[in-house]
Amino acid sequence: LKINKALTSLDLWENKIGPEGAKHIGEALKSNMVLTTLMLQWNLLGEKGAQHIGEALKINKMLTSLDLDGHALPILEVKGVSAVETIELQGKGLTHLSGIVIASCISSNSVLKSLNLTSNSIGDKGAQHIGE
């Protein structure tokens, strides 16, 4: 991913990728300028893995869709690159992993006024990161 100039979509669904693997993927995302879709659902990323991915998204300008738990997050909208005032993500089955990435992305979003996360499974860990 660090040097690839052609791959636009990567599906790593159910590959037992843990925090260490997510760290390497995150590092690659920081320099990758072509990947637009990344699917990591049903892995073992954990809180640290989600943090690695979230931190990488602060730098990455190309990724538009990230799926950590069964529903693709609209990354450009969450980051504020595509200026929208409202994002509706209610009832999408999002877990703390998406909550952590969302928290990382919205930290620099100055346009977003309303983020609906009703009826998901963000939990305490996701809420903690969103609250920070």
PDB file of all heavy atoms in Angstrom, residues 102-118:
ATOM      1  N   ILE A 102     -14.593   7.680  13.958  1.00  0.00           N
ATOM      2  CA  ILE A 102     -15.414   8.878  13.801  1.00  0.00           C
ATOM      3  C   ILE A 102     -14.859  10.002  14.685  1.00  0.00           C
ATOM      4  O   ILE A 102     -14.709  11.140  14.244  1.00  0.00           O
ATOM      5  CB  ILE A 102     -16.898   8.591  14.133  1.00  0.00           C
ATOM      6  CG1 ILE A 102     -17.520   7.732  13.028  1.00  0.00           C
ATOM      7  CG2 ILE A 102     -17.681   9.881  14.336  1.00  0.00           C
ATOM      8  CD1 ILE A 102     -18.881   7.152  13.389  1.00  0.00           C
ATOM      9  N   ALA A 103     -14.530   9.678  15.931  1.00  0.00           N
ATOM     10  CA  ALA A 103     -13.990  10.680  16.859  1.00  0.00           C
ATOM     11  C   ALA A 103     -12.716  11.304  16.304  1.00  0.00           C
ATOM     12  O   ALA A 103     -12.530  12.519  16.366  1.00  0.00           O
ATOM     13  CB  ALA A 103     -13.726  10.043  18.216  1.00  0.00           C
ATOM     14  N   SER A 104     -11.854  10.477  15.748  1.00  0.00           N
ATOM     15  CA  SER A 104     -10.607  10.985  15.182  1.00  0.00           C
ATOM     16  C   SER A 104     -10.876  11.906  13.993  1.00  0.00           C
ATOM     17  O   SER A 104     -10.251  12.957  13.860  1.00  0.00           O
ATOM     18  CB  SER A 104      -9.729   9.804  14.747  1.00  0.00           C
ATOM     19  OG  SER A 104      -8.514  10.260  14.237  1.00  0.00           O
ATOM     20  N   CYS A 105     -11.824  11.518  13.159  1.00  0.00           N
ATOM     21  CA  CYS A 105     -12.115  12.292  11.947  1.00  0.00           C
ATOM     22  C   CYS A 105     -12.840  13.600  12.224  1.00  0.00           C
ATOM     23  O   CYS A 105     -12.558  14.610  11.583  1.00  0.00           O
ATOM     24  CB  CYS A 105     -12.939  11.456  10.973  1.00  0.00           C
ATOM     25  SG  CYS A 105     -12.016  10.106  10.217  1.00  0.00           S
ATOM     26  N   ILE A 106     -13.770  13.611  13.168  1.00  0.00           N
ATOM     27  CA  ILE A 106     -14.545  14.842  13.395  1.00  0.00           C
ATOM     28  C   ILE A 106     -13.759  15.896  14.169  1.00  0.00           C
ATOM     29  O   ILE A 106     -14.177  17.046  14.239  1.00  0.00           O
ATOM     30  CB  ILE A 106     -15.905  14.586  14.091  1.00  0.00           C
ATOM     31  CG1 ILE A 106     -15.724  14.016  15.493  1.00  0.00           C
ATOM     32  CG2 ILE A 106     -16.792  13.713  13.229  1.00  0.00           C
ATOM     33  CD1 ILE A 106     -17.020  13.912  16.283  1.00  0.00           C
ATOM     34  N   SER A 107     -12.613  15.509  14.697  1.00  0.00           N
ATOM     35  CA  SER A 107     -11.836  16.476  15.483  1.00  0.00           C
ATOM     36  C   SER A 107     -11.420  17.702  14.660  1.00  0.00           C
ATOM     37  O   SER A 107     -11.239  18.781  15.213  1.00  0.00           O
ATOM     38  CB  SER A 107     -10.601  15.799  16.081  1.00  0.00           C
ATOM     39  OG  SER A 107      -9.703  15.389  15.070  1.00  0.00           O
ATOM     40  N   SER A 108     -11.318  17.547  13.359  1.00  0.00           N
ATOM     41  CA  SER A 108     -10.941  18.689  12.517  1.00  0.00           C
ATOM     42  C   SER A 108     -12.070  19.144  11.599  1.00  0.00           C
ATOM     43  O   SER A 108     -11.868  19.981  10.730  1.00  0.00           O
ATOM     44  CB  SER A 108      -9.716  18.316  11.666  1.00  0.00           C
ATOM     45  OG  SER A 108     -10.023  17.226  10.831  1.00  0.00           O
ATOM     46  N   ASN A 109     -13.271  18.620  11.809  1.00  0.00           N
ATOM     47  CA  ASN A 109     -14.417  18.980  10.966  1.00  0.00           C
ATOM     48  C   ASN A 109     -15.088  20.222  11.542  1.00  0.00           C
ATOM     49  O   ASN A 109     -15.696  20.178  12.610  1.00  0.00           O
ATOM     50  CB  ASN A 109     -15.406  17.812  10.902  1.00  0.00           C
ATOM     51  CG  ASN A 109     -16.531  18.047   9.919  1.00  0.00           C
ATOM     52  OD1 ASN A 109     -16.901  19.177   9.650  1.00  0.00           O
ATOM     53  ND2 ASN A 109     -17.084  16.971   9.404  1.00  0.00           N
ATOM     54  N   SER A 110     -14.990  21.325  10.823  1.00  0.00           N
ATOM     55  CA  SER A 110     -15.572  22.586  11.304  1.00  0.00           C
ATOM     56  C   SER A 110     -16.938  22.883  10.693  1.00  0.00           C
ATOM     57  O   SER A 110     -17.542  23.907  10.989  1.00  0.00           O
ATOM     58  CB  SER A 110     -14.620  23.745  11.001  1.00  0.00           C
ATOM     59  OG  SER A 110     -14.425  23.852   9.606  1.00  0.00           O
ATOM     60  N   VAL A 111     -17.452  21.968   9.852  1.00  0.00           N
ATOM     61  CA  VAL A 111     -18.709  22.185   9.154  1.00  0.00           C
ATOM     62  C   VAL A 111     -19.855  21.395   9.775  1.00  0.00           C
ATOM     63  O   VAL A 111     -20.986  21.873   9.845  1.00  0.00           O
ATOM     64  CB  VAL A 111     -18.563  21.798   7.657  1.00  0.00           C
ATOM     65  CG1 VAL A 111     -19.855  22.006   6.899  1.00  0.00           C
ATOM     66  CG2 VAL A 111     -17.444  22.578   7.020  1.00  0.00           C
ATOM     67  N   LEU A 112     -19.569  20.205  10.265  1.00  0.00           N
ATOM     68  CA  LEU A 112     -20.593  19.288  10.763  1.00  0.00           C
ATOM     69  C   LEU A 112     -21.337  19.871  11.966  1.00  0.00           C
ATOM     70  O   LEU A 112     -20.722  20.289  12.939  1.00  0.00           O
ATOM     71  CB  LEU A 112     -19.938  17.953  11.143  1.00  0.00           C
ATOM     72  CG  LEU A 112     -20.875  16.799  11.497  1.00  0.00           C
ATOM     73  CD1 LEU A 112     -21.720  16.410  10.283  1.00  0.00           C
ATOM     74  CD2 LEU A 112     -20.066  15.602  11.978  1.00  0.00           C
ATOM     75  N   LYS A 113     -22.652  19.901  11.860  1.00  0.00           N
ATOM     76  CA  LYS A 113     -23.489  20.426  12.942  1.00  0.00           C
ATOM     77  C   LYS A 113     -24.271  19.315  13.636  1.00  0.00           C
ATOM     78  O   LYS A 113     -24.613  19.418  14.804  1.00  0.00           O
ATOM     79  CB  LYS A 113     -24.487  21.449  12.389  1.00  0.00           C
ATOM     80  CG  LYS A 113     -23.835  22.597  11.644  1.00  0.00           C
ATOM     81  CD  LYS A 113     -23.679  23.796  12.519  1.00  0.00           C
ATOM     82  CE  LYS A 113     -23.246  24.994  11.740  1.00  0.00           C
ATOM     83  NZ  LYS A 113     -21.825  25.226  11.748  1.00  0.00           N
ATOM     84  N   SER A 114     -24.590  18.220  12.891  1.00  0.00           N
ATOM     85  CA  SER A 114     -25.410  17.149  13.447  1.00  0.00           C
ATOM     86  C   SER A 114     -24.883  15.795  12.986  1.00  0.00           C
ATOM     87  O   SER A 114     -24.732  15.547  11.792  1.00  0.00           O
ATOM     88  CB  SER A 114     -26.862  17.325  12.987  1.00  0.00           C
ATOM     89  OG  SER A 114     -27.655  16.237  13.408  1.00  0.00           O
ATOM     90  N   LEU A 115     -24.618  14.918  13.957  1.00  0.00           N
ATOM     91  CA  LEU A 115     -24.160  13.561  13.687  1.00  0.00           C
ATOM     92  C   LEU A 115     -25.084  12.617  14.434  1.00  0.00           C
ATOM     93  O   LEU A 115     -25.109  12.600  15.661  1.00  0.00           O
ATOM     94  CB  LEU A 115     -22.712  13.378  14.153  1.00  0.00           C
ATOM     95  CG  LEU A 115     -22.121  11.979  14.062  1.00  0.00           C
ATOM     96  CD1 LEU A 115     -22.102  11.490  12.618  1.00  0.00           C
ATOM     97  CD2 LEU A 115     -20.709  11.971  14.648  1.00  0.00           C
ATOM     98  N   ASN A 116     -25.883  11.849  13.686  1.00  0.00           N
ATOM     99  CA  ASN A 116     -26.866  10.956  14.295  1.00  0.00           C
ATOM    100  C   ASN A 116     -26.294   9.546  14.364  1.00  0.00           C
ATOM    101  O   ASN A 116     -26.128   8.878  13.353  1.00  0.00           O
ATOM    102  CB  ASN A 116     -28.162  10.973  13.484  1.00  0.00           C
ATOM    103  CG  ASN A 116     -29.269  10.186  14.161  1.00  0.00           C
ATOM    104  OD1 ASN A 116     -29.049   9.450  15.108  1.00  0.00           O
ATOM    105  ND2 ASN A 116     -30.478  10.355  13.650  1.00  0.00           N
ATOM    106  N   LEU A 117     -26.003   9.089  15.585  1.00  0.00           N
ATOM    107  CA  LEU A 117     -25.490   7.739  15.826  1.00  0.00           C
ATOM    108  C   LEU A 117     -26.476   6.896  16.633  1.00  0.00           C
ATOM    109  O   LEU A 117     -26.100   5.913  17.257  1.00  0.00           O
ATOM    110  CB  LEU A 117     -24.143   7.816  16.560  1.00  0.00           C
ATOM    111  CG  LEU A 117     -23.000   8.465  15.796  1.00  0.00           C
ATOM    112  CD1 LEU A 117     -21.805   8.697  16.703  1.00  0.00           C
ATOM    113  CD2 LEU A 117     -22.618   7.627  14.596  1.00  0.00           C
ATOM    114  N   THR A 118     -27.753   7.276  16.588  1.00  0.00           N
ATOM    115  CA  THR A 118     -28.794   6.580  17.328  1.00  0.00           C
ATOM    116  C   THR A 118     -28.838   5.094  16.956  1.00  0.00           C
ATOM    117  O   THR A 118     -28.630   4.724  15.812  1.00  0.00           O
ATOM    118  CB  THR A 118     -30.170   7.217  17.001  1.00  0.00           C
ATOM    119  OG1 THR A 118     -30.103   8.604  17.288  1.00  0.00           O
ATOM    120  CG2 THR A 118     -31.298   6.574  17.781  1.00  0.00           C
TER     121      THR A 118
END
